[in-house]
Each structure stands twice: as C-alpha cells, then as structure tokens.
C-alpha cells in the first residue's frame, strides 16, 4: 500500500530540508571520550561488525548501547584520560534473543548469553516492514472495503501485545504485534495528503495479530464482519495552522541571549553555574545524565551518579476484544531513544542549541539523527528568592527590597510513541534543585462508537470505559506510569536512605495545644524495609544522606526526593499488572548493581511476570552506608475529556531532587541582582 511509502519518503524529505544542523551545537570537541559519552558511529559499527563476524549474517540488532561503565573507574576519570568503553549488543538470531558485550580496548566480543525471559525492543524495521505487509493483506483490504475504506485511505498500525495470545502463538519466541486500523482520508484543502491526525478516525472492531519476524498473519478478528460498523468517515478537526481559524497573534515576547549562553559543553560534559554533569543518549532510555554534582570551593561534590527514566507503562482499562491487551511498556517495548523525533518549531526556545544523536539500524549500521536534544537556559518568570522588608519602608537610604532573578538550565528530548508525545526534561536550578519533568501531549487513543452524543441511547453502554470526547469516539480510560532510576551519590558513594514520617503527636492533658505534628524517623535498613508506599495521612520526607559529610550545623549532607503520589488502582495480580511489579511502591531503594538498570527487566517485550524491581529487592540486602539506587514512580490516571481533543494540552509530571542540609545556606544567595 503506497501510503506508507509516501509517509516514509515525506518524513525523510522533511528531515533533510528542515534540519537545524547548521545551528551552533555548542560542543568543544575533546581529545578523548569520557566513560559516559554516547557510543559513536565508529564504535557502533565496530561492535556490530564483531557480532556479524562471529555469528554470520541474518542478525537483527535490537539495541546497541554503551556498557554501563565500571563505576569506580569512571568516577576516577579525569578529562584527557582514556576511558574504558564497551557496548552491549542485544540481537535476534534464528528466533532467539541474545546479549553480548564488546570491549573496545581489546576489540573482543564476549560469549553471548541467550535471553530466555521476555524479548528485546521492537525496532523500526520490524514494525514498518510488517506494516507494509499487513496493509496489503487481502483479508485486511476486504475488511476495510466492507467499511467503505479503499486504497490508501486505510492505515493499520502495530501495537505491542503483552503476553497474550498463547493459544495462537508462542509468546516466548514469536515476535507478535496486533494491528488496528484507521481511516486517514484527507479532507478538502489537503489535496492528496492524508488527514493531519492519523489517529482521528478509528476503524473499530478490526484487529490483526501478526508475527513481525516471520511476516506471518496469525489471526484477523472482525467483530463487525456481518453487522453495521461504527462510522469511520466523518469530518475531523485538522490541527495544522492553515486549517484553523486562529485567534489574533499576541504581540511577541522576545527571548534572546544577545551576549551568548552561560553553559559550556565539552564532549559529554556540561557545566552551568555550579552544576557539572555528563549527558548521553541511549536507544532505549533516551537522555541519560551521569556524574551529576556541584563544583564548589572544596572541589566536585557528587549528588547522583546516574539519572534516567527506567520504564513507562500505559495500561488501558477496557476488557473489549480489541482493547484488553493494550498496555504499553513504551520504553522497553519500543525504545524512547529510537522514537525520539527532531526538535523544531516551538519545541524549544529560540536560544536553544541542538544536538544530534547516533542511533543504529536493524542491520547494525550507525546513523546520525539530527536535533534530537535541545539545551537552553530559561527564565521561569518567578524569582529565585525575594524579601521586601516593610518594617523599614520609612527609613531612607536602606535597601528594603531584595529579589533575585531565577535562571534554569533545561536538557530536553521528545519521544513520539504512536499517538502520544512525551517530553523528557532535566532542569537544573541555581538553588541546588534538579527537576525531572515528563510532559505528556499528543493524541488520545480513541475507540470508535455509534454515538455522536450522550443523547444516543447506545451512549450509556459505550461510555462505560471512557468519555465521548468527540462524536463517534470514546477516549478510553488509562494510566500513565513513569518509573525512574536515580543512582544517588550524595557527597560520595556511601549513602543512607532516611525515611521520616510527619505524624501527629498528642499533647498531655492541660497542655496549651491538643496536637502538633512532629518528624519521626523510621528504621530503614534493608531493601524490603525501604519499599515506600505514600500515605496522605502520614507524609514522608525521603532523603539520601551522606555517611561521611556534614554541613556546618552537623547534619549529614542530604538530598530529598519529592514527587506526587499515585497508586495503581488495579490489582497487581492482573495479567498485565503482574508484568509491572514496580507499581507496588511509590519508591524502591536497592543496593547499586550495574546489571539492575531497568525496573521491568532487561527484555520487556512479551515479558514474563514478576521481572525487574521485585527481583532486585527479593534478596533484601542491607542498604546501610552503601551505594544506593532510588526508583521513584510517578504518573496519573487519565480519564479523557473533550479538551483532550483533537490534540491534548501538555500535562506535566515531576520529580524534584532538593538539597536538604547539603549546603550551609541558600545556595542561590550569591546570584547577583
Ligand atoms: Cu493519557
């Protein structure tokens, strides 16, 4: 079906013509790579060649990532040193999955180990290769024609399937996806082009289970084969600007830095204000920060060794034949880095600089993807701090008003996982805070229904699992859960996890107060004890404290983890939720292990139950005075609404790392007026 080819050609053309590569990237090229530098094109090609040489052709490369560097060696690395570097190569061969490690120093490949639990990420070539075949299947063409959709007006798109369909295929070895379809017919003014939103007209009741490796149809399910179908050919709201009656433009707010930027980039290292960190890009996790800390008069003070998202889980809440399986582990199943899109237009402010990233094809060839990261400074519009001393208003000559402008540094990428767009931001502040911000926008997944409004007698049953957000479309209820991995190293590797609850303290009879609240420390000595479920009635202060450094008042220097509380509503015994064991707690704390990177395990696609964080914590290791990793979970329950349509307003979720007795005073005190 020509449309997919057309789309592919269009996107390539757009990339070539609108690339912002001529912009300054701000990078001073170093002579040697740091331990945390993203894999280079040369390195990726060398690692892939080693695997091809050892095991022959026909290998599908799912992921070539930087090997987690030896932490002790990496921490001792100084600019100019030669770092030890390696690549982890995850690949498919003869219907099995493997991981091997390539060492660049010795040019040697480890013996591969077979991955027997779960499967590696689906890569673009698998999905798009299958897409062409599925869209040309006579059964699919016929089912679409029965619904009045012909030629390139129909487009079926792939979804991961969890660990279902064991009666039809082998969920352990077969690479399964299920396609559902859309009417993408273009409307007046678009010429031969499809509608702006490929997701706006669902073709309900048609699903195609497909093996993307064998390119084999397994099952086609048409619930309306002999019946009237929900409408699929109505006018949709085009959201490109020329199709809209836009409001009058605002008088412009100009953002500029005439004297240049305030951050320096050398290789993977970024310095801004007192902050220093390394930035790399990974096909699975996207942007990863390493060796993050504060440059002080006493030298480099580490805060965290690594910060990255570990998994994203989006389970839909509809038991329908065509919806029950929809629960996406977007990071482990598709790859957040692989799905990163070019940043352009209003994605980043005009002062941003852009970085290209290096990814690879399924055949292991490295390529450069342009402008996948932007970095910029930003004025949030409120001061870093302020005080006006009204007591002295009448005293002439005194400085009564003090406020200091705040400036933040933002590192941004955007991944598009099908209908949703996710911004992954790391924000550095002058007051010592680091914020991890996840912004969700894009297009709600909708289910095609017969009702155009609640007046239709069918609407009552059709809106049991969602909201009629536009005529003939129900936005199905779902969750967005984000699991992060933060390797805390507060003033050194050895840390303690401190959990304090704010609790009511009854006062004795006759006291002037009947109740106050106090801070009570709980004993948290092991991985099991550290598992934290948030309670509205007993808020928790969650901190990671140095075991060696104290501030001037004698407190252990600490960083606090702050994040909104969300809980799974569905039992963790559910077939889908059993694969997302990280949901059990708002926060897990484990002892650092270089092999424990992903909260849902190494291979998430069609993964088994109970993998990942529950396994890492099962041995209940002691976590006193040792190297600790924090695993906070954030997210939201999404009950869609009309305002989500045709494209959803940006929704922000955040984790804050906040200094708590890490400094001796407000660290932004010295910001000049
Ligand atoms: Cu949503």
């Amino acid at each position: 079906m020509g449309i997919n080819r057309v789309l592919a050609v269009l996107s390539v053309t757009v990339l070539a013509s609108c690339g912002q590569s001529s912009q300054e990237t701000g990078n001073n090229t170093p002579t040697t790579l740091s331990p945390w530098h993203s894999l280079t094109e040369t390195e990726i090609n060398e690692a892939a060649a080693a695997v091809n040489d050892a095991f022959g052709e026909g290998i599908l490369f799912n992921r070539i990532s930087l090997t987690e560097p030896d932490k002790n060696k990496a921490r001792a690395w100084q600019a100019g040193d030669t770092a030890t570097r390696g690549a982890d190569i995850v690949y498919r061969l003869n219907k099995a999955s493997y991981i091997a490690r390539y060492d660049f120093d010795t040019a040697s490949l480890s013996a591969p180990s077979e991955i027997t639990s779960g499967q590696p990420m689906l890569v673009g070539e698998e999905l798009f290769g299958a897409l062409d075949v599925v869209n040309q299947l006579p059964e699919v063409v016929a089912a679409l024609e029965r619904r009045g959709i012909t030629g390139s007006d129909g487009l079926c798109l792939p979804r991961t399937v969890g660990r279902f369909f064991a009666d039809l295929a082998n969920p352990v070895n077969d690479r399964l996806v299920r396609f559902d379809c859309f009417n993408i017919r273009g409307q007046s003014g678009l010429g031969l082009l499809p509608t702006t939103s490929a997701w706006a007209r669902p073709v309900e009741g048609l699903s195609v289970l497909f093996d993307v490796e064998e390119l084999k149809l397994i099952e086609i399910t048409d619930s309306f084969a002999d019946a009237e179908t929900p409408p699929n050919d109505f006018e949709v709201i085009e959201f490109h600007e020329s199709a809209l009656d836009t409001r009058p433009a605002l008088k412009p707010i100009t953002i500029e830095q005439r004297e240049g930027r305030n951050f320096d980039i050398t290789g993977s290292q970024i310095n801004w204000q007192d902050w220093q960190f390394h930035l790399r890009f990974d096909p699975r996790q996207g942007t990863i920060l390493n060796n993050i800390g504060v440059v002080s008069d006493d030298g480099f003070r580490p805060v965290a060794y690594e910060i990255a998202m570990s998994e994203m889980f989006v389970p839909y809440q509809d038991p329908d034949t065509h919806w029950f399986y929809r629960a996406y582990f977007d990071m482990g199943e598709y790859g957040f880095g692989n799905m990163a899109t070019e940043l352009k237009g209003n994605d980043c402010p005009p002062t941003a600089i852009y970085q290209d990233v290096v990814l690879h094809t399924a055949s292991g060839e490295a390529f450069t993807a342009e402008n996948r990261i932007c970095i910029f400074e930003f004025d949030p519009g409120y001061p870093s701090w302020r005080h006006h001393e009204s007591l002295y208003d009448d005293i002439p000559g005194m400085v009564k008003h003090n406020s200091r402008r705040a400036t933040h540094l933002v590192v941004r990428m955007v991944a598009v996982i099908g209908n949703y767009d996710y911004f992954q931001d790391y924000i550095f502040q002058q007051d010592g805070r680091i914020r991890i911000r996840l912004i969700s926008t894009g297009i709600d997944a909708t289910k095609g229904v017969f009702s155009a409004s609640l007046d239709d007698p069918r609407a009552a049953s059709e809106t049991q699992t969602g909201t009629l957000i536009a005529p003939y479309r129900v936005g199905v209820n779902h969750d967005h859960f984000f699991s992060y991995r933060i390797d805390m190293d507060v003033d050194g590797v050895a840390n303690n996890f401190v959990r304090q609850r704010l609790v009511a303290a009854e006062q004795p009879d006759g006291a002037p107060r009947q109740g106050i609240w106090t801070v009570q420390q709980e004993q948290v000595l092991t991985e099991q004890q550290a598992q934290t479920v948030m309670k509205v009635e007993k808020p928790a202060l969650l901190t990671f404290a140095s075991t060696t450094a104290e501030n001037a008042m004698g407190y252990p220097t600490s960083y606090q983890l702050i994040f909104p509380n969300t809980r799974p509503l569905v039992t963790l015994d559910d077939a889908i939720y059993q694969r997302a064991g990280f949901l059990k707690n708002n926060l897990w704390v484990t002892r650092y292990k270089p092999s424990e990177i992903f909260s849902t395990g190494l291979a998430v696609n069609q993964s088994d139950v109970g993998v990942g964080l529950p396994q890492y914590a099962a041995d209940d290791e002691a976590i006193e005075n040792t190297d600790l990793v924090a695993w906070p979970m954030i997210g939201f329950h999404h009950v869609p609404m009309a305002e989500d349509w045709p494209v959803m307003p940006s929704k922000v979720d955040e984790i804050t790392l906040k200094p708590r007795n890490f400094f001796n005073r407000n660290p932004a005190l010295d910001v000049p007026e």
Side-chain angles (χ1 to χ4, degrees):
M1 190 165 289
I3 187 69
N4 311 314
R5 301 275 182 222
V6 171
L7 287 174
V9 171
L10 276 176
S11 65
V12 168
T13 312
V14 168
L15 275 177
S17 59
C18 300
Q20 289 164 315
S21 54
S22 60
Q23 296 200 13
E24 191 194 2
T25 61
N27 201 341
N28 308 310
T29 309
T31 49
T32 57
L33 298 179
S34 81
W36 309 284
H37 195 287
S38 306
L39 288 178
T40 64
E41 291 205 18
T42 309
E43 287 176 328
I44 287 173
N45 290 334
E46 183 182 333
V51 174
N52 275 328
D53 288 350
F55 306 110
E57 299 299 312
I59 289 167
L60 183 133
F61 290 88
N62 301 85
R63 176 164 72 90
I64 305 175
S65 287
L66 180 73
T67 300
E68 197 65 23
D70 178 278
K71 186 167 170 179
N72 287 329
K73 280 192 204 160
R75 289 182 75 250
W77 178 86
Q78 300 283 333
D81 292 353
T82 302
T84 304
R85 292 172 58 81
D88 285 359
I89 306 113
V90 177
Y91 61 94
R92 290 281 292 176
L93 179 63
N94 299 328
K95 286 187 75 71
S97 310
Y98 300 91
I99 182 165
R101 185 161 283 183
Y102 184 76
D103 183 324
F104 292 106
D105 293 344
T106 58
S108 60
L109 186 70
S110 73
S113 50
E114 187 171 353
I115 297 171
T116 53
S117 170
Q119 294 184 27
M121 300 190 297
L122 289 154
V123 294
E125 287 88 337
E126 288 180 286
L127 294 171
F128 283 97
L131 192 146
D132 271 355
V133 176
V134 166
N135 279 282
Q136 294 176 64
L137 287 172
E139 299 92 329
V140 171
V141 172
L144 291 173
E145 280 179 356
R146 272 201 304 281
R147 288 163 164 82
I149 304 166
T150 55
S152 58
D153 286 350
L155 179 62
C156 301
L157 294 165
R159 320 260 190 188
T160 53
V161 297
R163 206 179 173 84
F164 291 112
F165 308 110
D167 53 330
L168 298 168
N170 180 354
V172 177
N173 274 331
D174 297 341
R175 282 176 84 67
L176 305 176
V177 298
R178 208 178 191 210
F179 283 74
D180 55 297
C181 310
F182 298 85
N183 181 340
I184 62 167
R185 176 183 65 81
Q187 300 178 139
S188 54
L190 288 176
L192 295 174
L193 296 173
T195 177
T196 318
S197 172
W199 313 91
R201 296 193 202 101
V203 173
E204 200 55 45
L206 179 63
S207 294
V208 183
L209 186 65
F210 198 77
D211 183 324
V212 299
E213 198 166 52
E214 305 280 318
L215 292 180
K216 186 175 81 181
L217 172 67
I218 296 168
E219 183 189 47
I220 181 162
T221 309
D222 189 348
S223 300
F224 298 100
D226 305 308
E228 184 197 355
T229 65
N232 67 61
D233 193 16
F234 33 77
E235 286 294 299
V236 300
I237 307 170
E238 303 292 349
F239 51 82
H240 57 95
E241 192 187 17
S242 58
L244 294 166
D245 287 329
T246 53
R247 67 180 73 183
L250 290 171
K251 299 180 194 73
I253 297 168
T254 305
I255 301 171
E256 58 182 4
Q257 284 184 301
R258 281 184 216 170
E259 295 172 40
R261 59 169 194 276
N262 298 295
F263 54 92
D264 294 309
I265 305 177
T266 306
S268 60
Q269 182 175 308
I270 299 178
N271 283 78
W272 176 78
Q273 292 286 281
D274 296 337
W275 288 108
Q276 178 175 305
F277 59 94
H278 289 257
L279 169 65
R280 76 178 203 253
F281 196 85
D282 179 85
R284 176 160 171 178
Q285 292 181 280
T287 43
I288 298 175
L289 302 183
N290 276 110
N291 217 36
I292 307 115
V294 174
V295 180
S296 74
D297 292 342
D298 303 325
F300 180 73
R301 296 183 65 191
V303 171
Y305 178 74
E306 186 162 301
I307 301 177
M309 199 197 288
S310 184
E311 190 52 87
M312 177 183 292
F313 179 49
V314 185
Y316 284 78
Q317 309 294 331
D318 191 325
D320 179 279
T321 306
H322 302 279
W323 281 82
F324 73 92
Y325 70 96
R326 300 193 195 196
Y328 311 116
F329 292 88
D330 286 322
M331 190 162 269
E333 289 177 340
Y334 299 104
F336 215 64
N338 282 338
M339 305 300 259
T341 55
E342 179 169 35
L343 298 167
K344 54 171 76 175
N346 292 304
D347 293 343
C348 311
T351 53
I353 61 143
Y354 293 82
Q355 289 193 338
D356 301 340
V357 303
V358 179
L359 294 168
H360 63 86
T361 64
S363 51
E365 289 151 21
F367 67 91
T368 295
E370 287 183 343
N371 303 320
R372 295 306 196 263
I373 298 173
C374 73
I375 306 168
F376 57 92
E377 290 163 285
F378 168 69
D379 182 332
Y382 59 86
S384 178
W385 57 267
R386 182 252 198 210
H387 184 62
H388 178 94
E389 191 42 81
S390 306
L391 290 171
Y392 301 149
D393 273 350
D394 295 337
I395 304 179
M398 267 195 81
V399 177
K400 285 152 290 205
H401 190 94
N402 275 291
S403 72
R404 298 292 188 275
R405 188 170 177 171
T407 307
H408 299 168
L409 178 76
V410 182
V411 176
R412 171 170 295 168
M413 66 163 287
V414 181
V416 177
I417 320 281
N419 47 312
Y420 265 104
D421 300 49
Y422 295 105
F423 284 63
Q424 179 161 284
D425 283 356
Y426 300 111
I427 305 166
F428 291 86
Q429 300 190 181
Q430 292 157 305
D431 59 11
R433 271 181 255 200
I434 304 170
R435 286 154 53 208
I436 303 164
R437 178 165 66 189
L438 197 287
I439 303 174
S440 309
T441 177
I443 301 169
D444 259 342
T446 58
K447 182 180 185 180
V449 296
F450 291 99
S451 316
S453 81
L454 293 182
D455 292 339
D456 191 305
R458 295 168 289 193
S461 66
E462 288 179 339
T463 55
Q464 286 296 305
T465 55
T467 307
L468 202 56
I469 62 172
Y472 313 116
R473 281 147 296 172
V474 162
V476 175
N477 299 333
H478 58 279
D479 304 294
H480 299 256
F481 295 116
F482 312 109
S483 172
Y484 282 86
R485 179 182 178 279
I486 306 175
D487 179 349
M488 299 298 298
D489 274 9
V490 181
D491 270 329
V493 167
N495 282 182
N496 282 325
F497 171 54
V498 180
R499 183 173 64 218
Q500 297 167 304
R501 296 276 185 186
L502 311 189
V503 296
E506 278 187 33
Q507 298 298 294
D509 288 345
R513 294 281 304 276
Q514 285 64 58
I516 61 167
W517 61 260
T518 61
V519 181
Q520 285 186 0
Q521 186 158 332
E522 297 180 340
Q523 176 155 302
V524 184
L525 304 176
T526 71
E527 289 175 334
Q528 297 282 341
Q529 289 172 359
Q531 295 182 27
T532 303
V533 174
M534 303 301 273
K535 298 177 182 138
V536 172
E537 65 280 15
K538 280 188 188 175
L541 216 57
L542 307 168
T543 54
F544 290 81
S546 169
T547 53
T548 52
E550 294 177 346
N551 80 346
M553 277 63 74
Y555 287 100
T557 59
S558 303
Y559 255 79
Q560 181 183 358
L561 219 50
I562 302 171
F563 49 97
N565 310 335
T566 187
R567 302 288 308 144
L569 301 170
V570 169
T571 169
L572 296 185
D573 292 334
D574 175 81
I576 284 171
Y577 282 64
Q578 282 187 61
R579 299 170 56 234
F582 71 86
L583 291 176
K584 182 183 166 212
N585 299 303
N586 294 95
L587 177 70
W588 304 65
V589 180
T590 60
R591 203 172 169 128
Y592 170 82
K593 289 209 179 69
S595 60
E596 296 178 354
I597 301 294
F598 304 111
S599 53
T600 44
L602 173 68
V604 179
N605 194 27
Q606 296 172 238
S607 65
D608 208 344
V609 300
V611 177
L613 260 178
Q615 291 175 320
Y616 307 158
D619 52 2
D620 198 22
E621 283 180 283
I623 55 165
E624 273 181 291
N625 189 19
T626 189
D627 193 356
L628 300 181
V629 176
W631 306 79
M633 181 265 287
I634 57 173
F636 60 102
H637 308 298
H638 190 172
V639 181
M641 69 210 92
E643 290 82 356
D644 286 344
W645 199 256
V647 60
M648 186 181 134
S650 296
K651 156 83 171 76
V652 173
D653 290 270
E654 262 189 17
I655 295 171
T656 301
L657 276 75
K658 183 180 183 181
R660 174 165 286 276
N661 301 319
F662 184 82
F663 299 101
N664 296 323
R665 61 178 202 183
N666 180 347
L669 204 62
D670 63 348
V671 173
E673 192 96 52

